[in-house]
Amino acid sequence: MAERGGAVAALAARFREGKPLITAWCGIPEPSVAGLLAAEGFDTVTLDMQHGAHDFDSISRTVALVAARGKPTLARVPVGGFATVSRLLDAGISGIIAPMVNTVEDARRFAALAKYPPLGERSWGPAPALMLSGLSPETYLKEANGFCQTLAMIETREALAVLDDILAVDGIDGIFIGPSDLSIALSNGAGLDPDGAAVRDALKHAMARTRAAGKRIGIYSLSGPRTRELIAEGFDLIALSGDGALLRAGAAAALKEARG
């Protein structure tokens, strides 16, 4: 049975089911790339505006292709790109990942632009989201704060130190860990070790605090084996590699078969 609100509301609905979700991660700003990945077994697709080449135009042209597969779309905004949040949600994005949320004030500003009153300050104008959801304007307004998900990225010592306070912000639905940036921060720039002991200890702490707050936790993963570990550890959302890496891996595998 299709979720009420269609693909726009599907992310929150699937989070409530309690099953781990694996998202494709797309930085190539060609809508057909995300559409092809949505046709595979991924639970959702994430479009990257921070380190990927997506912008509002490419995202607005991509959401419907992913929704046609009955799947929700997330977007990662640039650092400090909170002004983009409302427009992305209006376009039918189901969840926003905001990088480098290091303070409670960062979290509050993020939530304010993602949620309608009384939780936030989001202004009205979700024409594409209304079409994709099939909801009436009144119903969308009433329910959007519940299904438009906000995930604050935790990537620094500063953010870890105030994690409980960030999680306590009304309108923040959960967090998303960037293990590479976190490894750089925890080593004071000495190295890149996203699977190292320091990061794994930080992940255990973040998981415990997020579960205590009753919220969601996601993370980026570089490989299938690591993704299986993260699923076993209880993460709600795992990004499996990126579209460029998947394209290269597929090409390498095909060439190996072709050339023996």
Side-chain angles (χ1 to χ4, degrees):
M1 180 182 294
E3 292 90 351
R4 174 183 172 85
V8 176
L11 179 64
R14 292 173 192 180
F15 274 155
R16 287 194 296 272
E17 292 173 358
K19 298 177 182 178
L21 306 179
I22 298 178
T23 183
W25 192 274
C26 296
I28 300 171
E30 166 52 51
S32 63
V33 173
L36 287 168
L37 290 173
E40 299 303 323
F42 290 101
D43 300 296
T44 181
V45 174
T46 300
L47 309 178
D48 188 11
M49 302 175 74
Q50 182 190 6
H51 294 301
H54 273 288
D55 57 16
F56 179 77
D57 179 66
S58 64
I59 286 178
S60 65
R61 291 184 290 112
T62 300
V63 173
L65 287 179
V66 179
R69 294 291 179 174
K71 295 176 181 179
T73 307
L74 294 92
R76 179 167 71 169
V77 298
V79 175
F82 300 145
T84 312
V85 168
S86 295
R87 291 190 74 199
L88 291 169
L89 295 173
D90 288 347
I93 290 293
S94 299
I96 303 290
I97 299 172
M100 293 291 175
V101 175
N102 293 327
T103 68
V104 173
E105 182 53 38
D106 289 342
R108 287 174 177 160
R109 188 60 183 151
F110 173 31
L113 292 169
K115 305 292 185 179
Y116 290 116
L119 279 181
E121 304 167 3
R122 181 181 170 189
S123 61
W124 182 253
L130 284 172
M131 288 188 286
L132 287 172
S133 71
L135 300 174
S136 69
E138 294 78 10
T139 302
Y140 182 92
L141 176 61
K142 180 180 178 182
E143 298 182 5
N145 283 353
F147 61 67
C148 292
Q149 297 287 287
T150 54
L151 301 175
M153 286 197 75
I154 303 299
E155 308 173 88
T156 64
R157 291 178 182 272
E158 185 180 8
L160 283 174
V162 293
L163 180 55
D164 283 343
D165 296 323
I166 290 172
L167 286 165
V169 172
D170 286 341
I172 294 296
D173 297 302
I175 62 172
F176 191 95
I177 306 292
S180 292
D181 277 318
L182 188 57
S183 74
I184 294 171
L186 293 177
S187 68
N188 293 317
L192 184 65
D193 189 10
D195 292 336
V199 171
R200 288 177 183 255
D201 287 344
L203 294 184
K204 291 177 183 177
H205 170 72
M207 175 67 73
R209 301 322 304 156
T210 304
R211 289 292 176 251
K215 297 192 174 183
R216 306 296 178 185
I217 183 168
I219 190 168
Y220 190 91
S221 171
L222 293 170
S223 70
R226 181 62 178 142
T227 297
R228 287 197 298 273
E229 291 179 358
L230 293 165
I231 289 172
E233 290 169 17
F235 283 85
D236 300 297
L237 177 72
I238 304 102
L240 175 55
S241 190
D243 50 1
L246 293 173
L247 179 61
R248 291 181 65 189
L255 284 168
K256 183 177 181 180
E257 286 187 347
R259 290 175 174 163

